Amino acid sequence: MGCAPASVKKIGFGLLIPAVIFFFNPLVAVLDFLPDFIGYLLLWAALCRAADLSSQLDEAKRGFARMAVIDALKFGSNLWMIFMVAPHELPNTRLLLTFVFAVLEFIYAIPAWCAFFNGIYALIISDGDPAGYGSTARRKRAIRTLPEQMKTATIAFFICRNVLALLPELSSLAYAAFDNSGYVTNFDRNLYDFYGLFLFFALIIMLVVGIVWLVRMLRFAIRLYADRPFAARLLERYVIEVLPCEKLFTRRTLRFALTLLGIGSFLTLDFYFDDINILPDVIPALTVIFVLLRLRRCMSGWQLPLALSVLWGAASVGTAVLGWNFFQTYYIELILRKPEAYAAYQLLTGSTVLTQAAFLVTVIALCVYLYRLCRHYLADERENDAREFLREQKKQFIFLGVLALLSALGGIGYVTLRLQVEFMWLLEFAATLIFAIYAWKVMGELSENLCLIIGEDHTEAPREKSWSFLE
């Protein structure tokens, strides 16, 4: 079984057109009405194939992936401010978050965009610039190509966008201060009283600059997409140079899948708001399902863990619905007074037990599948280090199953003992956090070692084989 695609019909530049639409809109502090992380994901997808033909595009692809994560955190920080930050602390919190994410964008986004335009220009030059992308424009005696012009415009746009998002928030420095008793001691709010006016002018300027950048960027992306001969030549290079590298695609698939499993382990953490879990287990269950569907081309035997993860996801949906209905109607102490509340809570408890049991058997089945995956790629290995690796990996999977058992028992204990043990939520959270941290460690080491086991194709530079757990 191979992980390489059977055929490739497009190089992927068409995704650049919808991607750029997510960046032109103005920002209100960290509030982004067109989330940038969607645009970064589309950019990442657009470069998946072209990045194999250019090291600069590969660098851009990695940078866009980082920015997708950073901007997803930025998008989530709005929920944190809504639910967790006191109203009188909002102005200073907005200022702090806006500044932090603006700095992160300067550090990661701008270099990624520069690498993107440099990589596109390198591909164009290597193809002989058939469509005239390198046509020059004179500005103060300098000769600049179209990608260089767009690179400068993009840098200016992102700097302007973040600075204008930050400037209105600086007025919060004049917001009223509080003494130790909690009363306002400084009534000088003159500057902050004009926050709405500052924001209005900043939004107008951002919108004008964003529309200008969007028009130019769309013209560039459409021109790139419409140049079918150029795309066809790149696709031909990809088919000849990259597609035969079976081991390359296998390593990528395994690295992506195991990284996603490591991230998914942290999604098993429960965060309660008004007794309702705002991070239901259906999210990590869907992550496991997606990973198994990606791994199905690497090795058979994925059907059982897939079925168990579907059961886990369905049970978690039922638990979330029952929990929502119960806490919208009753509060927990009523189970000691009202029979109907007690009956409803018993149903919720049973659904929770089913969800935790499905989680446990899914983790066990997944560990068995991953262990078989290790043996599959070590089938031709006869060295002692390989056998030692399998023994060590087996111990890690067994311990991971034990931690999953403790996490499941913690989840069951939370719904059954929460009235008797007030800190039961803390024990449940600690058990799941330990499981998530260890799962991240195991998946990271497994990804590294499997990639070393698989090795490189003859067209790739060789790397020395080592075993990370022995180092």
Side-chain angles (χ1 to χ4, degrees):
M1 254 183 212
C3 295
S7 62
V8 177
K9 297 181 179 180
K10 295 181 179 180
I11 200 68
F13 285 152
L15 290 175
L16 295 175
I17 298 172
V20 299
I21 297 175
F22 287 89
F23 297 103
F24 85 98
N25 61 294
L27 300 176
V28 181
V30 292
L31 180 60
D32 191 356
F33 297 101
L34 291 175
D36 285 0
F37 70 87
I38 299 178
Y40 283 121
L41 289 175
L42 290 173
L43 287 172
W44 179 87
L47 297 181
C48 274
R49 292 176 184 138
D52 291 325
L53 303 174
S54 167
S55 60
Q56 292 170 314
L57 287 184
D58 184 63
E59 179 185 348
K61 183 181 122 179
R62 295 173 187 270
F64 291 147
R66 294 190 196 99
M67 281 308 304
V69 175
I70 292 172
D71 200 75
L73 294 175
K74 176 181 176 181
F75 189 78
S77 67
N78 291 286
L79 297 177
W80 177 70
M81 285 195 295
I82 292 172
F83 294 111
M84 304 298 294
V85 178
H88 67 273
E89 296 176 350
L90 277 176
N92 290 328
T93 303
R94 284 200 312 265
L95 172 61
L96 176 62
L97 291 177
T98 305
F99 176 77
V100 169
F101 284 108
V103 171
L104 290 175
E105 196 151 311
F106 291 154
I107 294 174
Y108 294 107
I110 291 179
W113 281 102
C114 290
F116 167 74
F117 289 110
N118 291 338
I120 292 293
Y121 181 60
L123 287 181
I124 292 169
I125 293 301
S126 66
D127 195 58
D129 190 20
Y133 295 95
S135 56
T136 58
R138 295 188 176 275
R139 293 291 185 274
K140 296 182 179 180
R141 298 181 181 179
I143 299 178
R144 305 174 63 210
T145 63
L146 181 59
E148 289 175 332
Q149 295 175 46
M150 288 310 307
K151 180 173 71 172
T152 302
T154 301
I155 293 173
F157 166 67
F158 275 92
I159 292 176
C160 178
R161 186 178 187 231
N162 284 279
V163 169
L164 288 173
L166 180 63
L167 285 178
E169 305 304 323
L170 293 175
S171 62
S172 64
L173 296 175
Y175 192 66
F178 290 79
D179 62 17
N180 293 331
S181 62
Y183 292 97
V184 179
T185 58
N186 174 21
F187 289 94
D188 183 17
R189 298 192 184 186
N190 293 333
L191 187 60
Y192 189 75
D193 284 340
F194 293 98
Y195 171 76
L197 185 62
F198 297 150
L199 183 61
F200 173 77
F201 284 112
L203 291 177
I204 292 297
I205 298 174
M206 268 192 282
L207 184 60
V208 172
V209 174
I211 291 175
V212 172
W213 176 83
L214 177 65
V215 171
R216 296 190 63 185
M217 191 64 195
L218 280 177
R219 289 175 59 189
F220 177 77
I222 292 172
R223 182 175 180 180
L224 196 62
Y225 172 70
D227 190 358
R228 300 301 173 84
F230 175 57
R233 283 187 289 271
L234 291 182
L235 186 60
E236 183 181 2
R237 281 185 55 192
Y238 183 85
V239 171
I240 295 173
E241 300 175 12
V242 181
L243 206 56
C245 300
E246 176 66 38
K247 293 181 179 180
L248 172 66
F249 289 98
T250 302
R251 291 200 310 270
R252 284 183 179 175
T253 300
L254 292 175
R255 188 181 295 115
F256 176 77
L258 294 173
T259 301
L260 206 57
L261 285 178
I263 296 173
S265 65
F266 285 95
L267 298 176
T268 60
L269 292 168
D270 293 332
F271 295 93
Y272 292 95
F273 181 76
D274 286 343
D275 290 318
I276 296 174
N277 184 15
I278 60 176
L279 193 62
D281 282 354
V282 66
I283 300 176
L286 290 174
T287 303
V288 174
I289 292 171
F290 178 76
V291 166
L292 289 170
L293 292 176
R294 287 296 300 267
L295 290 176
R296 74 186 189 277
R297 299 179 62 181
C298 295
M299 194 187 72
S300 60
W302 50 272
Q303 293 87 348
L304 177 60
L306 179 68
L308 292 173
S309 59
V310 170
L311 174 63
W312 177 27
S316 63
V317 170
T319 301
V321 172
L322 290 173
W324 173 269
N325 291 336
F326 178 85
F327 289 108
Q328 289 298 308
T329 308
Y330 311 104
Y331 52 91
I332 187 65
E333 288 77 11
L334 283 182
I335 65 174
L336 302 176
R337 306 175 195 171
K338 291 188 175 184
E340 58 271 22
Y342 178 78
Y345 196 74
Q346 286 294 98
L347 186 61
L348 174 60
T349 301
S351 179
T352 302
V353 171
L354 177 61
T355 300
Q356 296 300 329
F359 158 71
L360 178 60
V361 295
T362 299
V363 172
I364 294 174
L366 192 59
C367 287
V368 172
Y369 176 76
L370 292 177
Y371 180 72
R372 290 181 60 243
L373 191 70
C374 295
R375 296 189 63 179
H376 171 73
Y377 286 110
L378 278 170
D380 298 328
E381 295 285 348
R382 295 292 182 265
E383 57 187 72
N384 292 330
D385 283 344
R387 291 192 290 270
E388 179 65 22
F389 168 71
L390 285 176
R391 284 194 293 268
E392 183 70 19
Q393 205 63 55
K394 187 175 182 179
K395 292 178 184 178
Q396 290 184 347
F397 285 141
I398 291 174
F399 189 60
L400 186 62
V402 172
L403 293 180
L405 174 61
L406 294 177
S407 176
L409 291 176
I412 296 172
Y414 175 73
V415 296
T416 56
L417 301 175
R418 57 184 298 184
L419 288 179
Q420 291 81 6
V421 184
E422 293 184 358
F423 56 87
M424 194 64 215
W425 68 271
L426 183 59
L427 296 178
E428 185 258 348
F429 187 84
T432 307
L433 182 61
I434 294 172
F435 162 77
I437 293 174
Y438 188 73
W440 174 266
K441 172 181 176 295
V442 170
M443 296 305 157
E445 292 180 355
L446 181 59
S447 173
E448 178 183 351
N449 285 320
L450 282 179
C451 289
L452 290 171
I453 290 168
I454 293 167
E456 295 83 14
D457 295 282
H458 68 279
T459 56
E460 300 179 81
R463 292 184 297 175
E464 181 182 356
K465 179 180 291 188
S466 63
W467 307 85
S468 62
F469 71 91
L470 297 176
E471 295 174 353

